[in-house]
Amino acid sequence: MALSVTKVPLLVPSMEEVVQVLQSGLEKNFSSVEVSVVDCPDLTQKPFNLSAKGLCGSPRLADVGGPPNLVPLVKKEKLYNMGDVASLVELPGAFMVGAGAGPFAVVGTNSELVCSVQVSEDGKKAVCCNSYISKVDTQDGSCILDPLRDTLDFNLMGNFLCCEGKPGKVLEIKASVRTGEENFMSAVRKSLQNHYQSKSVGLGGVFLIERGKAKIHVMPDFSCTPLDTSEKVNGWLKFYEMDATLVCLGELVSHDPGLDLRVEHFHCFSDHGQGGHYHYDTTPGEVGYRAYFSIAELLYRIDQPPEGN
């Protein structure tokens, strides 16, 4: 089935300008902030362990499907493929990082997808895949983090930075000791939103929670009853407090230009068996973040759910 695609150019301010915007904005939410332009570290190395070295080369965002495919009742026919997404964003062979819903036919249940993959030029396989899924143990309700290495499929929704995976200049953000109410990604997004207003600026990449703990949710298996209120959704989700170091992958957009975007979405994994959907840190007095982001040039809205769905 052909998927609808809306392509939107994003505002691409200079990195130096964005440094000043984020420095000023984040200082309202963290006691220590340092924003700069740096050479992207080798992301194939620890603690990142991603599938390509950098976040540069034709950076663009893909917003696929969305929460209306999950609530109030799941639409299991919404099946997607990362190779197809790479083609739809006009970047065959893309390196993709981000957050989505795992392939239930492969995993055996609903799950959170933490995507880190470089697809082949023909989109039929992964050149390198270091993705994970996080699911709920049906026996004791704990979180299970498993590698996902042999499929490019995902379901329902996904928010990805797509690029050529090349080294290059990126934004580095260091922020610690949270003094405000915003979580890290919301503080970054709202700093951009307050400055650029109705102009859309997109960032994508990786941030680390290097110190402290964070509130993370993991979706259990699909609900048999309609999730038609936020209270029901929150009652269905499973929440956990997870420990640093957490590696969080995703993207954010400062302003939705009328495309029903998920304006911020990050999922995390770790080397200690924890991972899922990032909400916020639970230890503001000790938390430490370190991020590397590219500024996206384009946004592709793929298979946007019908209005009012």
Side-chain angles (χ1 to χ4, degrees):
M1 182 175 65
L3 300 177
S4 64
V5 182
T6 302
K7 177 182 176 181
V8 177
L10 297 172
L11 177 68
V12 186
S14 72
M15 296 187 111
E16 291 72 20
E17 180 178 292
V18 175
V19 164
Q20 297 303 314
V21 170
L22 293 180
Q23 182 73 40
S24 175
L26 291 175
E27 285 176 350
K28 299 172 184 176
N29 207 66
F30 295 91
S31 69
S32 176
V33 177
E34 182 181 345
V35 187
S36 56
V37 178
V38 301
D39 290 318
C40 189
D42 185 346
L43 299 177
T44 64
Q45 302 300 307
K46 292 183 178 181
F48 307 100
N49 295 316
L50 301 186
S51 298
K53 289 189 174 184
L55 299 171
C56 300
S58 307
R60 55 203 59 197
L61 304 182
D63 188 316
V64 185
N69 289 337
L70 178 65
V71 296
L73 289 171
V74 64
K75 297 175 177 61
K76 289 188 175 181
E77 70 276 13
K78 292 298 182 177
L79 310 175
Y80 304 112
N81 180 275
M82 295 169 203
D84 294 339
V85 171
S87 177
L88 292 171
V89 303
E90 304 173 290
L91 197 64
F95 170 48
M96 300 171 60
V97 294
F104 57 80
V106 175
V107 179
T109 187
N110 190 25
S111 65
E112 309 284 349
L113 169 67
V114 195
C115 173
S116 170
V117 64
Q118 181 145 27
V119 302
S120 60
E121 287 286 333
D122 62 10
K124 294 182 179 180
K125 62 182 181 180
V127 174
C128 181
C129 183
N130 290 286
S131 299
Y132 289 87
I133 60 92
S134 180
K135 63 182 180 180
V136 176
D137 189 322
T138 57
Q139 300 300 313
D140 61 11
S142 63
C143 166
I144 298 173
L145 183 72
D146 284 333
L148 185 71
R149 301 291 187 260
D150 298 323
T151 182
L152 295 177
D153 293 337
F154 66 102
N155 293 122
L156 306 176
M157 66 190 84
N159 296 87
F160 309 109
L161 169 72
C162 306
C163 66
E164 295 172 19
K166 294 180 177 179
K169 297 294 184 181
V170 293
L171 297 168
E172 179 185 65
I173 306 170
K174 297 178 181 178
S176 59
V177 186
R178 180 170 57 82
T179 56
E181 297 298 317
E182 301 292 347
N183 68 42
F184 178 69
M185 64 184 181
S186 292
V188 171
R189 183 180 62 80
K190 290 181 179 181
S191 296
L192 296 171
Q193 182 184 52
N194 290 338
H195 183 82
Y196 294 107
Q197 299 292 312
S198 61
K199 297 175 181 178
S200 299
V201 177
L203 303 181
V206 54
F207 71 82
L208 304 174
I209 304 176
E210 296 187 296
R211 298 185 302 280
K213 299 177 183 293
K215 183 177 181 179
I216 306 293
H217 86 230
V218 178
M219 295 185 294
D221 208 357
F222 302 118
S223 175
C224 296
T225 59
L227 300 172
D228 50 13
T229 67
S230 59
E231 290 78 11
K232 288 181 180 179
V233 171
N234 287 330
W236 168 71
L237 293 171
K238 302 300 181 184
F239 291 91
Y240 307 86
E241 186 177 60
M242 297 187 180
D243 308 302
T245 298
L246 296 168
V247 184
C248 304
L249 307 178
E251 51 98 342
L252 58 88
V253 181
S254 66
H255 172 75
D256 181 356
L259 295 174
D260 191 26
L261 300 179
R262 188 116 182 223
V263 291
E264 53 187 53
H265 198 187
F266 282 81
H267 286 178
C268 62
F269 69 93
S270 68
D271 61 5
H272 52 271
Q274 296 179 329
H277 176 108
Y278 166 81
H279 281 268
Y280 53 81
D281 61 81
T282 58
T283 54
E286 64 176 294
V287 73
Y289 293 95
R290 177 161 57 102
Y292 297 96
F293 291 139
S294 280
I295 303 174
E297 300 166 350
L298 299 163
L299 167 74
Y300 294 76
R301 186 64 174 103
I302 298 171
D303 197 35
Q304 179 179 346
E307 185 176 356
N309 203 6

